[in-house]
């Protein structure tokens, strides 16, 4: 099984985007993003959208 790259946590912090702001943008609780970032939960569709959003920010 191919592994996916980790979510871009450093980019989130480097751009001064809070976890709450990201969660509000996607309409999810901050814990959802927190768990996905740390590999406690997997949602490839959300992770791809999250990476794209951070790249555009």
């Amino acid at each position: 099984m191919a592994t996916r790259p980790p979510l871009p946590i450093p980019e989130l912090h480097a751009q001064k985007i809070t976890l709450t702001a990201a969660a509000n943008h996607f309409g999810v609780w901050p814990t959802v993003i927190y768990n996905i970032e740390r590999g406690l939960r997997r949602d490839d569709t959300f992770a791809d959208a999250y990476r794209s959003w951070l790249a555009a920010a």
Side-chain angles (χ1 to χ4, degrees):
M1 178 163 85
T3 59
R4 297 187 59 82
L7 285 174
I9 299 168
E11 288 85 349
L12 178 77
H13 298 299
Q15 294 180 20
K16 305 289 186 201
I17 299 171
T18 65
L19 196 61
T20 302
N24 287 339
H25 174 80
F26 287 101
V28 299
W29 288 97
T31 53
V32 171
I33 296 176
Y34 176 87
N35 288 337
I36 291 172
E37 284 181 340
R38 279 145 187 86
L40 302 174
R41 177 178 175 182
R42 183 172 177 163
D43 184 338
D44 294 339
T45 304
F46 178 82
D48 291 339
Y50 185 53
R51 284 186 192 97
S52 296
W53 180 73
L54 283 175

